[in-house]
Amino acid sequence: MSAEAAVYARLSGYSGLTDLVGDRIYPMVIPPEKRGDAVTYQLIGTTPTPAMRADAPLTRSRIQVSCYGTKTSSQSAYASAKAVRDQVVAALNRFRGTVGGVAVQAVYRLTEFDLYDDDAKVDGVAVDFDVVFEE
């Protein structure tokens, strides 16, 4: 089991987010044919918890979730991306529980920064999360 599996399961099951993006939640890259508000996630790094005689069962992974928005008649692409970001943060920040077969001990928001995908012409916001889980 992995932090990526837990993040995907939590995001895809969170109605506040799926109301905005539907099933457009992808690892790494949005497929070209899937335009619209969407989310991608990727593993930035993983650190096992060291112990003197054996590795502890807890692992810490940094997961980056990128939230993309498109322009609508009522809001800018940037505002749309921020709305998606708000739902991602609501779904993940301080989450604890078992999801996607992964026992998550804690999820904490770390950093956030703006994105722009020139090829797709969409605005975005990336949020990094620290995910502590049992392997």
Side-chain angles (χ1 to χ4, degrees):
M1 295 297 154
S2 68
E4 301 98 290
V7 166
Y8 175 77
R10 179 70 178 159
L11 293 178
S12 64
Y14 194 78
S15 64
L17 178 62
T18 59
D19 288 348
L20 297 176
V21 302
D23 64 353
R24 292 182 304 277
I25 302 170
Y26 307 103
M28 306 278 292
V29 177
I30 301 169
E33 68 278 3
K34 302 288 187 173
R35 295 291 177 219
D37 293 358
V39 171
T40 63
Y41 59 93
Q42 67 180 5
L43 176 67
I44 300 300
T46 296
T47 305
T49 303
M52 292 296 280
R53 297 186 191 267
D55 288 335
L58 292 180
T59 298
R60 170 173 264 129
S61 289
R62 185 172 183 152
I63 302 288
Q64 186 172 89
V65 180
S66 299
C67 310
Y68 294 98
T70 53
K71 184 175 175 23
T72 66
S73 59
S74 63
Q75 67 182 358
S76 70
Y78 185 66
S80 181
K82 291 283 191 178
V84 172
R85 182 271 329 261
D86 291 346
Q87 292 304 309
V88 165
V89 170
L92 293 177
N93 195 41
R94 301 207 176 266
F95 173 76
R96 179 183 181 142
T98 300
V99 62
V102 180
V104 177
Q105 296 301 311
V107 179
Y108 300 105
R109 180 169 56 170
L110 298 173
T111 60
E112 180 177 316
F113 54 92
D114 291 341
L115 303 168
Y116 180 72
D117 184 330
D118 196 39
D119 293 331
K121 305 289 188 231
V122 293
D123 290 335
V125 180
V127 185
D128 286 8
F129 293 92
D130 188 26
V131 180
V132 180
F133 65 100
E134 294 178 23
E135 281 197 292

